[in-house]
Amino acid sequence: MSRVETGQGPFVRNAWYAAASSEEVGQGLLARTLLDEPLVLCRTGAGEPVALQDRCAHRFAPLSLGQRCGDEIACPYHGMRYGPDGVCTHVPGQGTVPPQARVRRYPTLERYGLVFVWMGEVGLADAAALVDIAQYGQPGWGLSRGHALFHACLDNILDNLIDPAHTTFVHQRTIGSDAGAQVAVQASLEDEHTIVCGRWVNHAPAVPMVQRFARPGGLVDRWQFYRVRPPCTSWVDFGSLPAGSPHTPQAMDAAPYRVLSYAFLTPQDASHTHYFSFQLRNFAADDAAVTTEFNALYKATFDEDRVLLEAIQREEERAPGTPPVRIASDAGVARLRRLTQALREAEQPPASDQASTVRAISPS
């Protein structure tokens, strides 16, 4: 399999993908497309989130257009009912149910105010594969949230989220400034699953977000560490200390301004991506007004990325296959692309198996 340089490569399926916020999934039927697969989401009476293939086994009518019958879903076309396990339980007008009358049920996991769906092999679904966030729900950490649908592919969005250098030019109204323009970015593997790319910008004026909420009395040292765990999770550790402070984990924990921004990215298809996000902040944790302001400021920040990424998407669609020129700040992007490629190849059968499959399905 050749490495993808532009556009969206094959989806990695063995992963937890955010499908909806917890609030979106209720007793009604929610239609959502993930990785080009139509799903219907709902909750059982006991509160368990359920994700089923959104296609009746009979004539493929979308189940999301049907009705709830207790914990079952009735198809809008002929009333066939499906249980939470995806098995048809009733066919109006006949006493038996064909054994093949079933739809796929996807494993679900609810955490961090989101409902996640495992889109790959059911036997590989493991709750431990979802990133662990120690600060979530802990005292002293405020929470803000957002969701948007980008007309941009997942691969390009992740490139953006392993790239601290762009903040100097794209986000000067919020988290960037000219002070970082000449500061090199360092990229490395934090562990076998996670890439980290970041830098310290020292003895510089505070960026607008820090000025607004921390009100430093002078110059600051600020850090930006971008982490990506492919295929679909990103988090950014951003904070500020008085200039000359120690750059230790202890000092960062006690900083007057620190925000951990998480993004869970789910392709709708090869050119549209759901961007579920939340921010954990170490100040004004219980201040509803600050939360409201944070929601607006981070929406504005992500919109700045969205406008550029959607423009890039249009250009890639106009001139597919045009190779990009790489520069020094793309070190994290290069590592990310290699790691994602390894995940894709791990999900593909060996070439000999592929040949056997082709022979098996080819007409004699």
Side-chain angles (χ1 to χ4, degrees):
M1 181 189 296
S2 60
R3 191 171 75 179
V4 175
E5 288 289 344
T6 63
Q8 178 60 46
F11 299 131
V12 176
R13 295 186 175 272
N14 288 320
W16 292 107
Y17 286 93
S21 69
S22 292
E23 293 179 349
E24 289 181 285
V25 182
Q27 295 302 304
L29 301 174
L30 174 66
R32 186 141 287 167
T33 299
L34 278 61
L35 283 63
D36 266 332
E37 296 185 22
L39 275 62
V40 56
L41 294 101
C42 60
R43 284 188 193 275
T44 66
E48 178 188 7
V50 173
L52 299 178
Q53 181 183 26
D54 193 14
R55 187 182 73 178
C56 178
H58 174 217
R59 293 198 197 166
F60 308 153
L63 295 177
S64 58
L65 298 179
Q67 295 182 344
R68 291 293 299 270
C69 298
D71 279 352
E72 297 182 332
I73 301 175
C75 173
Y77 202 5
H78 294 89
M80 294 172 63
R81 292 206 300 264
Y82 294 85
D85 58 0
V87 176
C88 181
T89 63
H90 175 70
V91 180
Q94 65 184 63
T96 61
V97 176
Q100 67 272 28
R102 60 178 61 222
V103 297
R104 180 180 176 184
R105 177 177 181 173
Y106 298 79
T108 58
L109 176 64
E110 189 164 16
R111 194 177 292 175
Y112 310 135
L114 297 169
V115 173
F116 295 87
V117 176
W118 185 269
M119 297 298 294
E121 295 182 41
V122 172
L124 297 179
D126 181 3
L130 189 64
V131 63
D132 182 57
I133 305 174
Q135 297 86 353
Y136 189 92
Q138 296 302 306
W141 289 91
L143 175 67
S144 53
R145 292 188 177 279
H147 168 255
L149 181 64
F150 282 32
H151 182 187
C153 69
L154 172 64
D155 283 354
N156 284 347
I157 296 174
L158 286 175
D159 285 354
N160 174 267
L161 288 170
I162 199 64
D163 175 24
H166 83 274
T167 61
T168 296
F169 308 98
V170 180
H171 302 306
Q172 294 215 357
R173 294 185 300 172
T174 52
I175 60 173
S177 73
D178 290 337
Q182 301 303 322
V183 180
V185 171
Q186 304 298 319
S188 63
L189 281 175
E190 186 167 71
D191 56 46
E192 62 178 326
H193 305 294
T194 308
I195 300 162
V196 58
C197 193
R199 63 185 178 182
W200 282 85
V201 178
N202 299 321
H203 289 83
V207 298
M209 289 279 276
V210 174
Q211 291 175 355
R212 171 69 183 88
F213 294 104
R215 302 185 186 280
L219 299 180
V220 301
D221 295 350
R222 62 177 164 91
W223 70 87
Q224 293 171 300
F225 290 100
Y226 284 48
R227 289 174 172 84
V228 168
R229 181 177 294 178
C232 56
T233 307
S234 157
W235 61 103
V236 178
D237 184 350
F238 174 77
S240 173
L241 294 162
S245 299
H247 294 181
T248 62
Q250 295 78 13
M252 294 164 71
D253 282 341
Y257 183 98
R258 187 178 195 181
V259 175
L260 306 174
S261 181
Y262 283 81
F264 297 93
L265 304 157
T266 302
Q268 175 175 284
D269 51 39
S271 58
H272 297 83
T273 305
H274 286 281
Y275 196 121
F276 295 94
S277 64
F278 58 78
Q279 295 76 45
L280 299 168
R281 63 182 188 274
N282 71 342
F283 57 90
D286 301 316
D287 191 323
V290 171
T291 296
T292 298
E293 190 171 357
F294 244 64
N295 286 338
L297 286 168
Y298 266 88
K299 180 183 185 303
T301 301
F302 295 148
D303 278 347
E304 290 169 341
D305 288 323
R306 181 184 56 77
V307 168
L308 274 175
L309 289 166
E310 290 182 349
I312 290 168
Q313 182 76 28
R314 291 192 296 271
E315 183 60 19
E316 287 189 346
E317 291 171 353
R318 189 192 68 80
T322 304
V325 174
R326 296 299 186 193
I327 59 176
S329 63
D330 289 325
V333 172
R335 286 177 178 268
L336 171 60
R337 293 277 175 154
R338 288 195 296 269
L339 190 53
T340 302
Q341 180 71 8
L343 292 176
R344 288 176 174 140
E345 292 176 354
E347 291 190 358
Q348 300 300 312
S352 57
D353 291 351
Q354 290 179 327
S356 299
T357 301
V358 171
R359 287 195 295 272
I361 65 174
S362 298
S364 57

